[in-house]
Amino acid sequence: MEIKRDDLAGGEVIRLLEEHLTDMYATSPAESVHALDVDALKDPTITFYSCWQNGELLGCAALRELNANHVELKSMRTATNARNLGVASTLLKHLLSVATERGYKKISLETGSMDFFKPARALYKNFGFEYCGPFGDYQLDENSRFMMRNV
């Protein structure tokens, strides 16, 4: 698998992100959806990555800098045809490595509380993330689970 910094210009990546947003709105109340669209992911505080193998898009993820010591994991998504191949673990390892290289001390994330998000929460727990309260601009929300770990 090859992970590369992505400029969000490719149609495959845009379609994967649209699929991600569709699932988020189908699973969570609109006021509890914190997934970002393509334009929002182009913010200069965000670094977006895509994961490829043999020219096929397998997944994506992003890091958003909250401050000099704290980064947030955003837009973690595995393509439907690439599920259970280790894509999410590979992306997460890469993001943790990038966070370490950049000198961040903490990485946080928000995910859903519904059963749909259970595999994601299990993945994050396996990588040492622990539940915490809201961070950044997030508010307490019964539909959200907040997690963090030191880098």
Side-chain angles (χ1 to χ4, degrees):
M1 287 183 221
E2 177 191 2
I3 298 173
K4 60 184 180 180
R5 194 169 174 168
D6 198 294
D7 63 4
L8 294 150
E12 292 165 293
V13 170
I14 291 170
R15 281 188 294 280
L16 182 60
L17 289 168
E18 288 171 347
E19 177 186 300
H20 181 60
L21 283 170
T22 298
D23 276 352
M24 297 306 97
Y25 281 101
T27 308
S28 303
E31 65 276 7
S32 296
V33 173
H34 302 290
L36 301 176
D37 64 19
V38 172
D39 288 334
L41 285 166
K42 292 181 180 179
D43 186 281
T45 63
I46 297 175
T47 308
F48 187 84
Y49 298 92
S50 55
C51 181
W52 300 81
Q53 189 170 48
N54 301 323
E56 182 180 355
L57 178 63
L58 302 180
C60 62
L63 289 175
R64 174 167 53 182
E65 183 176 283
L66 300 175
N67 62 50
N69 295 312
H70 191 183
V71 69
E72 178 184 6
L73 174 65
K74 294 296 293 180
S75 300
M76 184 82 137
R77 180 70 176 200
T78 300
T80 304
N81 61 329
R83 301 261 162 88
N84 299 313
L85 299 178
V87 175
S89 293
T90 300
L91 278 163
L92 192 49
K93 286 176 193 172
H94 180 77
L95 295 178
L96 291 169
S97 176
V98 169
T100 299
E101 290 169 14
R102 292 183 179 176
Y104 295 112
K105 305 291 183 231
K106 183 167 54 171
I107 184 168
S108 300
L109 63 91
E110 179 276 337
T111 191
S113 62
M114 300 78 164
D115 284 346
F116 178 84
F117 300 97
K118 200 175 211 176
R121 293 191 309 266
L123 172 74
Y124 300 135
K125 289 218 33 113
N126 286 341
F127 274 83
F129 284 83
E130 298 178 356
Y131 290 103
C132 64
F135 60 92
D137 293 333
Y138 291 104
Q139 302 295 314
L140 198 57
D141 179 351
E142 67 181 343
N143 298 301
S144 291
R145 292 295 175 264
F146 304 98
M147 302 179 84
M148 66 78 56
R149 67 164 271 180
N150 293 325
V151 178

